[in-house]
Amino acid sequence: MKRLFLSAFFTGAVLSSAFSEKLSVPATALLSEKNSNVPVEIEWNEKWFGQEAEIYNHGLARLAAVLSTDSYVDFEKDRNSNDLIQLYQKLGVKKQDMEFKYDIDYSNPLWGNDQCAYSIASKTIDSSLGKRTLVFLVVRGTPLNSNEWISNINLSDRTADESPVHEGFSLAAVQIYSDLFAYLLKHKIDAENAFFFMTGHSRGAAVVNVISSIFVRGSLINRKYVYTYTFACPNVTTYDIEDKSEYGFIWNIVSAEDIVPTVPMNRRKWKYKKYGNVLVLANYFNTDMKTYEDDYLVRMNRYYVQFLDREYYPFYLGPFIPVQVTDIATAFNGSVKTYYRDFKGLRSAADKILKKVFPPIIYDPISFQPEMDEEHDATMSSIMNYLNHKTQGLADYARNAFTDMHAMEAYLSWMLVLDEKEAFSEVPYSQLVIEGSFDCAVFNKYGQCVVKVENGHVELASLRYKIPARTVFPQGAIIGIPGNTELDVYVCKDSFFPTESKIRIEHFRADGVYTGEGDKISVTPRSGKIYHISAGKITQEQETVSFDIIKDSKKTKKLCIEADIWPRDEVLLQFESTIDTNLCLGLGLQYGNQNIYGTIASTQYLTCFGETAGIDLGIGRQRNLHSILNLDMLAFARLRWNFNEKNSSNSSFNLVPAVRLGLSFKPVKRFHIFIAASSDIKIDDFNDGAFTSRAKKQLLPSFDIGERVQLQPALMLGFKF
């Protein structure tokens, strides 16, 4: 039986390839400034139809990618022979069998923004089941205007509560579904025996995904004859569709770096998902990293440069950014209801942002032709130029990367250059969530420190080797763990007392969909005690964090020096402001690091305002005690001038030694709030002039420590940043 099955399979494959033909077809880039198209070569085989739609077909996927790319064609420029028309003709479709709806009136009182541009075409093919009609449905994605973008965020505007299907996509799907059947009746097509090939990108993918689900629930079309391939499809429904067998003919191809396929969200109380299978394109986190950079990217750019006149800008972060967007959005808006009704609801805010980012379509009152808002374009260009200047080019890279993560031209390029075995990966992703005030260093397999965390805050400057991390307010960090590499994570704290931190693992599918998390594990690092965690491939299989403890002081010191965590040697210039119980106000600067720093401050007693003046010069050291609590030790000299003692026996200038011992609370790296006990040292016949009632008001009692020496204490509050 097994031999018979294999024989039939290979016989079918040989016959299928025998009927294939190579086609050179045009592909048009939406975002390129060039007017010319890019010729691409694909296979076309009518025998593909009639084979099982539940089995992925890379040839159909490539064809769908070209159709979805060309769906963005500008019909206003050429309604007679644009690239989409030429592509249909290359496939053997006659012009009279093509229908296009691209002239959308968003002022329509019934449908408004909830519309899509699309094309329907048909032809007779010699399928695996004989002569049949093949119907194409290609739905355009979101154009560069705010109208359809506003529909994209219309989860359920009519009820302002969760609905089973995304309202903006569903309304557009109902219109196209109705027009599709009108087309079938007009062209006298037997719907039950016809094949349907449907595709779209982004918003178009979502609408096609919903239409495909309607086919499943309906009885007019045989779902065995439906072949759906989508690209960057958003989530569309909250229905429980864990059993995907009914929707096996739907193939959703997504990039894990792309945010769009992860919204609306699927985490916490948000339960949106898409119908059918999900295939995740190769990226830096789910395939061999060297192969991705040295081979896949090089090949992909041979097409991408032709489309956009520049190379592709990857994030190199796998699903990290979409996962963080999902996490923050669902934490900020706990449900669809709060998305609409809460004072911090995103719906109204997103509406305003989209109208600023994407100009609305404006219709000329005479010609009724759409026009773009040139003033809006100039405003957006000015904003980007400013940001790019301030970030030394980072804004340009980020803008291009955010564009490329979702561009249909990127999806098409990947599909054209990678075969079925190369194109997709199921390697999962995970992340370590560490809470508390801790230091951390992550080393890759080459011994390079790729992430550094100080006091529970990620040092962005350390993210040089494409391992992502972000700070979690108020103190904590999320570290992205690829499933295709090996990492060493060291959690430490240069504190006198053990400082507790909690660590857990979160797990995600290759496309960034949350699948669960393990229990929190408590660790208590301190000076000379470091926790080592092996991460990477092994993390994908663990429910809870596994670690070993390093107590060798030489080894811990060596690790911390290599990671540049501690001893702290980063020099900071900080502003300091203080006031004490003697109503002495101090304003000054502190310069140095945690091990040793100098300070200079101007001081003034408010009770003797205008009668005295002072400058404090000091040297100090800071030592972490526990978590964000630090011990500050400072010795300084106070230079005092008393303007009312010029004609007295006391000197108008005095030198006062002083010490300060304080507890500093350090919630973030540069900001400290501290309380301290300070003491001025009075020495008879040396600095008496600084302690007269006209020079200083002493509110706390003094202490004698000898015949000539007296301590005059004060309590102090202050902050520095």
Side-chain angles (χ1 to χ4, degrees):
M1 180 64 72
K2 185 176 180 180
R3 287 184 178 180
L4 182 62
F5 172 79
L6 290 173
S7 177
F9 175 81
F10 285 113
T11 301
V14 170
L15 289 173
S16 177
S17 62
F19 287 97
S20 297
E21 62 175 310
K22 297 282 188 180
L23 295 180
S24 179
V25 296
T28 301
L30 170 67
L31 302 174
S32 175
E33 296 181 358
K34 297 189 303 184
N35 293 321
S36 59
N37 57 43
V38 176
V40 300
E41 192 173 82
I42 60 170
E43 282 188 332
W44 169 240
N45 186 351
E46 295 182 352
K47 297 293 183 183
W48 287 336
F49 298 95
Q51 298 176 4
E52 288 189 46
E54 289 83 0
I55 297 177
Y56 173 79
N57 185 312
H58 204 53
L60 282 177
R62 282 172 167 164
L63 171 59
V66 181
L67 284 165
S68 293
T69 302
D70 283 348
S71 70
Y72 287 98
V73 70
D74 187 353
F75 266 77
E76 298 301 324
K77 289 184 178 179
D78 188 354
R79 291 178 172 270
N80 298 313
S81 185
N82 58 57
D83 286 353
L84 186 54
I85 293 174
Q86 291 181 40
L87 176 53
Y88 277 136
Q89 289 175 330
K90 287 271 190 177
L91 297 172
V93 180
K94 297 177 181 177
K95 209 163 186 181
Q96 61 265 29
D97 294 325
M98 306 176 198
E99 289 190 6
F100 303 92
K101 183 182 178 183
Y102 274 72
D103 52 341
I104 300 176
D105 179 9
Y106 298 111
S107 63
N108 183 297
L110 180 60
W111 301 112
N113 293 324
D114 300 313
Q115 303 182 70
C116 278
Y118 61 89
S119 63
I120 305 173
S122 64
K123 65 167 290 188
T124 301
I125 62 170
D126 185 15
S127 75
S128 296
L129 301 179
K131 295 290 185 181
R132 296 285 183 93
T133 300
L134 171 62
V135 179
F136 298 88
L137 173 62
V138 182
V139 182
R140 184 188 67 185
T142 315
L144 300 179
N145 66 62
S146 63
N147 303 84
E148 291 184 37
W149 275 105
I150 290 172
S151 179
N152 291 342
I153 61 173
N154 171 16
L155 306 186
S156 50
D157 285 359
R158 295 181 181 182
T159 63
D161 205 347
E162 185 179 285
S163 60
V165 183
H166 184 291
E167 186 175 291
F169 301 149
S170 179
L171 290 173
V174 168
Q175 298 167 64
I176 298 175
Y177 182 79
S178 175
D179 289 352
L180 176 62
F181 272 89
Y183 177 94
L184 298 177
L185 291 172
K186 176 182 176 181
H187 291 263
K188 299 178 182 179
I189 296 173
D190 180 4
E192 190 173 353
N193 291 304
F195 293 111
F196 291 84
F197 183 51
M198 305 194 298
T199 188
H201 167 252
S202 190
R203 174 177 175 80
V207 172
V208 165
N209 194 270
V210 173
I211 293 173
S212 299
S213 74
I214 297 174
F215 284 178
V216 171
R217 295 193 294 272
S219 58
L220 298 175
I221 291 176
N222 190 338
R223 66 180 175 85
K224 291 184 179 180
Y225 300 155
V226 182
Y227 301 77
T228 299
Y229 287 80
T230 75
F231 301 91
C233 182
N235 293 322
V236 302
T237 181
T238 59
Y239 280 126
D240 183 9
I241 51 173
E242 294 305 316
D243 180 11
K244 297 182 178 179
S245 58
E246 288 185 307
Y247 307 100
F249 64 92
I250 305 173
W251 297 94
N252 302 295
I253 297 169
V254 304
S255 167
E257 293 188 342
D258 191 353
I259 295 172
V260 173
T262 65
V263 294
M265 292 75 71
N266 187 328
R267 191 166 185 187
R268 299 186 175 96
K269 293 183 179 180
W270 291 74
K271 302 298 180 183
Y272 283 89
K273 54 191 79 72
K274 51 183 73 72
Y275 297 100
N277 308 285
V278 176
L279 298 176
V280 184
L281 287 170
N283 63 59
Y284 190 70
F285 270 21
N286 65 15
T287 191
D288 180 75
M289 293 178 174
K290 184 172 177 56
T291 301
Y292 177 80
E293 283 199 285
D294 297 346
D295 182 16
Y296 291 0
L297 269 180
V298 174
R299 288 156 56 191
M300 185 267 198
N301 273 314
R302 291 172 187 164
Y303 273 109
Y304 204 70
V305 169
Q306 294 183 67
F307 284 127
L308 266 69
D309 301 318
R310 63 169 176 80
E311 291 191 344
Y312 177 72
Y313 283 64
F315 276 116
Y316 289 106
L317 303 178
F320 180 79
I321 292 178
V323 165
Q324 306 317 309
V325 170
T326 297
D327 183 30
I328 294 169
T330 54
F332 194 70
N333 277 168
S335 66
V336 175
K337 187 175 291 187
T338 56
Y339 170 77
Y340 279 98
R341 299 176 185 172
D342 197 85
F343 73 94
K344 58 185 179 182
L346 291 174
R347 176 61 181 88
S348 59
D351 193 297
K352 296 175 183 177
I353 292 171
L354 288 173
K355 287 178 179 177
K356 291 182 178 180
V357 175
F358 298 99
I361 291 291
I362 303 171
Y363 286 91
D364 184 90
I366 299 175
S367 65
F368 295 101
Q369 294 298 313
E371 297 180 345
M372 299 305 289
D373 186 348
E374 294 182 2
E375 182 179 350
H376 174 276
D377 290 343
T379 301
M380 293 305 300
S381 178
S382 298
I383 293 173
M384 285 307 302
N385 288 337
Y386 173 79
L387 291 175
N388 200 51
H389 174 71
K390 290 295 184 182
T391 59
Q392 297 181 338
L394 182 60
D396 259 353
Y397 190 97
R399 178 187 60 183
N400 289 330
F402 272 105
T403 297
D404 294 353
M405 73 175 185
H406 187 60
M408 186 59 225
E409 293 84 0
Y411 281 88
L412 174 58
S413 298
W414 286 122
M415 296 301 297
L416 291 173
V417 302
L418 301 181
D419 62 34
E420 182 178 344
K421 292 182 180 179
E422 297 171 320
F424 309 112
S425 173
E426 295 182 355
V427 173
Y429 163 79
S430 63
Q431 52 189 30
L432 291 179
V433 182
I434 311 177
E435 302 171 3
S437 172
F438 63 94
D439 296 330
C440 176
V442 181
F443 290 86
N444 63 17
K445 60 183 180 181
Y446 304 109
Q448 298 164 319
C449 181
V450 293
V451 176
K452 183 169 67 172
V453 183
E454 289 190 10
N455 198 31
H457 296 272
V458 176
E459 293 290 314
L460 295 179
S462 72
L463 303 177
R464 294 170 294 177
Y465 299 98
K466 303 165 188 172
I467 298 298
R470 77 172 177 94
T471 300
V472 180
F473 184 82
Q475 280 193 313
I478 293 176
I479 301 171
I481 307 295
N484 62 345
T485 189
E486 297 175 357
L487 300 170
D488 289 297
V489 181
Y490 297 94
V491 180
C492 52
K493 184 68 177 178
D494 185 21
S495 60
F496 185 79
F497 299 106
T499 299
E500 184 182 44
S501 293
K502 294 183 178 181
I503 311 175
R504 72 177 188 274
I505 302 175
E506 293 183 344
H507 292 287
F508 302 85
R509 288 187 336 211
D511 58 343
V513 173
Y514 173 80
T515 58
E517 62 185 60
D519 295 332
K520 291 182 181 179
I521 300 296
S522 293
V523 297
T524 53
R526 57 173 173 78
S527 294
K529 181 183 179 183
I530 290 180
Y531 288 79
H532 169 242
I533 301 167
S534 294
K537 298 176 184 178
I538 189 173
T539 315
Q540 320 305 322
E541 304 169 359
Q542 296 176 328
E543 289 299 318
T544 56
V545 177
S546 178
F547 56 81
D548 56 275
I549 301 175
I550 302 172
K551 291 187 176 180
D552 185 328
S553 59
K554 290 184 178 179
K555 189 172 183 179
T556 58
K557 184 176 181 180
K558 181 176 181 293
L559 283 169
C560 293
I561 292 174
E562 288 177 356
D564 191 27
I565 293 180
W566 48 266
R568 308 248 191 263
D569 58 2
E570 182 179 11
V571 176
L572 294 176
L573 177 65
Q574 294 178 287
F575 172 80
E576 180 180 274
S577 176
T578 62
I579 189 168
D580 65 21
T581 51
N582 294 330
L583 297 182
C584 180
L585 178 66
L587 298 172
L589 297 173
Q590 176 181 300
Y591 181 76
N593 57 34
Q594 181 172 309
N595 293 313
I596 186 168
Y597 59 85
T599 181
I600 180 171
S602 171
T603 59
Q604 176 65 60
Y605 287 100
L606 300 181
T607 55
C608 308
F609 191 79
E611 299 181 10
T612 63
I615 294 177
D616 290 353
L617 301 173
I619 186 169
R621 171 178 164 79
Q622 189 178 82
R623 180 77 165 90
N624 183 258
L625 293 178
H626 174 78
S627 185
I628 62 173
L629 182 63
N630 297 282
L631 177 66
D632 273 295
M633 298 162 283
L634 182 68
F636 55 101
R638 289 183 160 172
L639 309 180
R640 291 285 180 265
W641 285 269
N642 184 356
F643 303 128
N644 290 307
E645 300 293 343
K646 291 182 179 179
N647 299 318
S648 70
S649 59
N650 294 317
S651 173
S652 60
F653 169 76
N654 293 273
L655 174 63
V656 180
V659 293
R660 188 174 86 189
L661 188 66
L663 292 177
S664 173
F665 300 89
K666 187 180 178 183
V668 295
K669 179 179 177 180
R670 296 186 63 93
F671 186 75
H672 297 245
I673 301 173
F674 61 88
I675 58 174
S678 66
S679 180
D680 292 346
I681 301 175
K682 178 184 176 184
I683 304 173
D684 290 346
D685 300 327
F686 176 70
N687 54 17
D688 307 71
F691 296 91
T692 65
S693 61
R694 297 292 299 274
K696 173 184 177 183
K697 302 294 184 184
Q698 181 67 31
L699 301 182
L700 294 181
S702 58
F703 300 94
D704 293 329
I705 59 172
E707 292 184 2
R708 297 182 55 207
V709 180
Q710 189 179 71
L711 298 182
Q712 294 201 352
L715 297 178
M716 179 180 294
L717 291 174
F719 65 88
K720 53 187 174 182
F721 60 88

